[in-house]
């Protein structure tokens, strides 16, 4: 791996990277601001003193992500990393991507597990899928810091054309994982919702189906666009995976929205969003 200052990147690539990063961060912080009043009314009463798992996961994911992205905002947008060592910072970026998507994947897996009434075969499948996606993500970090990658003085990644496909593999694995969870969520929610229509429908199941579909559609599009940057920008230095920040921020934002909607729909009768479907039907 070659450090900062050894590779040249056109200024338009720097500007493009900064705009895409700023777009993702703007969505993350703007959404927090516009939903802060809902968060105070819906989430925080469930954190203390009830210690709701759903509310706690919301707070941890939302605020840890916003804090973790502050160095990105400062070092890439406010005070650019020109002329500074890039290796440690780029490693931090890779770990941050894995943390955001990994955290969201775990929360979605819990929701899928609950939707399927805690069936062991679903749990085994989710653990196997998590191991596969996690392994691919770690592989992506290793490839991203390999000697085949260099950094410009602006800390933009340049990769050997032969290693581009390998670096994109981490995001492709994430895309497969998201699609699997999407399929499981939509299928189960649709089936339960169809059964419930005979009894007038269950609002929380309608919400899971609607928000789950919207969430995964947005995430699939973001991840697909980010994967495309590895192949269509192979000859454009610095734009490989340039939509990674947007994808991660959208993942956290959409997960937060889903949790808020479920908490609002379920509170106080359905406290927490990880209740099994049979519990919802009996309530």
């Amino acid at each position: 791996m070659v450090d900062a200052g050894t590779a040249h990147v056109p200024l338009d690539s720097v500007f493009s990277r900064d705009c895409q990063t700023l777009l993702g961060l703007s969505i993350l912080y703007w959404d927090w601001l516009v939903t802060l009043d809902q968060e105070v009314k819906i989430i925080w009463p469930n954190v203390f003193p009830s210690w709701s798992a759903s509310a706690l996961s919301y707070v941890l994911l939302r605020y840890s992500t916003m804090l973790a992205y502050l160095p990105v905002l400062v070092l890439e947008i406010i005070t650019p990393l020109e002329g500074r060592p890039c290796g440690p910072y780029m490693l931090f970026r890779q770990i941050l991507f894995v943390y955001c998507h990994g955290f969201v994947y775990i929360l979605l897996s819990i929701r899928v597990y609950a939707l399927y009434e805690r069936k062991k075969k679903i749990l085994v499948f989710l653990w196997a899928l998590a191991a596969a996606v996690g392994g691919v993500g770690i592989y992506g970090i290793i490839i991203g810091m390999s000697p085949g990658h260099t950094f410009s003085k602006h800390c933009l990644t340049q990769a050997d054309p032969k290693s581009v496909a390998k670096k994109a593999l981490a995001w492709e694995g994430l895309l497969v994982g998201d699609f699997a969870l999407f399929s499981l969520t939509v299928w189960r929610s649709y089936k339960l919702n169809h059964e419930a229509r005979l009894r007038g429908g269950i609002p929380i199941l309608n919400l899971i189906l609607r928000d789950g579909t919207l969430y995964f559609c947005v995430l699939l599009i973001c991840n697909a666009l980010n994967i495309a940057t590895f192949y269509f920008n192979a000859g454009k230095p610095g734009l490989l995976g340039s939509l990674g920040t947007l994808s991660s921020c959208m993942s956290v934002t959409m997960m937060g929205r889903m949790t808020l909607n479920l908490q609002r729909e379920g509170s106080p009768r359905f406290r927490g969003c990880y209740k099994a479907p049979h519990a919802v039907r009996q309530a």
Side-chain angles (χ1 to χ4, degrees), residues 163-203:
S163 65
V164 168
K166 294 180 180 179
K167 187 172 177 60
L169 186 63
W171 291 98
E172 291 166 349
L174 180 63
L175 186 67
V176 172
D178 283 344
F179 183 77
L181 291 178
F182 168 70
S183 301
L184 289 170
T185 300
V186 171
W187 168 252
R188 185 62 174 172
S189 299
Y190 175 79
K191 186 176 180 180
L192 291 172
N193 194 50
H194 179 72
E195 294 173 355
R197 284 180 182 176
L198 298 177
R199 298 182 295 274
I202 300 178

Side-chain angles (χ1 to χ4, degrees), residues 105 109 123-139:
Y105 179 89
S109 296
L123 181 62
V124 171
F125 173 78
L126 291 174
W127 274 111
L129 185 63
V133 173
V136 171
I138 294 174
Y139 176 76

Side-chain angles (χ1 to χ4, degrees), residues 210-223:
R210 186 198 70 189
D211 285 8
T213 302
L214 177 62
Y215 168 86
F216 283 109
C217 284
V218 171
L219 261 293
L220 288 174
I221 291 173
C222 288
N223 287 340

Side-chain angles (χ1 to χ4, degrees), residues 39 68 73 78 115 117 119 176 189 204 216 244-245 264:
E39 177 185 316
L73 177 63
I78 300 177
L115 277 175
E117 303 184 29
K119 294 181 179 179
V176 172
S189 299
I204 201 168
F216 283 109
T245 299
R264 181 171 56 247

Side-chain angles (χ1 to χ4, degrees), residues 15-36:
F15 179 74
S16 178
R17 189 282 308 270
D18 290 348
C19 287
Q20 293 170 37
T21 298
L22 189 58
L23 174 61
L25 296 178
S26 298
I27 291 174
L28 178 68
Y29 294 112
W30 174 82
D31 184 75
W32 170 70
L33 287 174
V34 299
T35 59
L36 183 58

Side-chain angles (χ1 to χ4, degrees), residues 40-57:
V40 172
K41 295 177 182 178
I42 300 172
I43 298 297
W44 286 103
N46 288 335
V47 175
F48 306 105
S50 60
W51 300 100
S52 164
S54 176
L56 285 171
S57 64

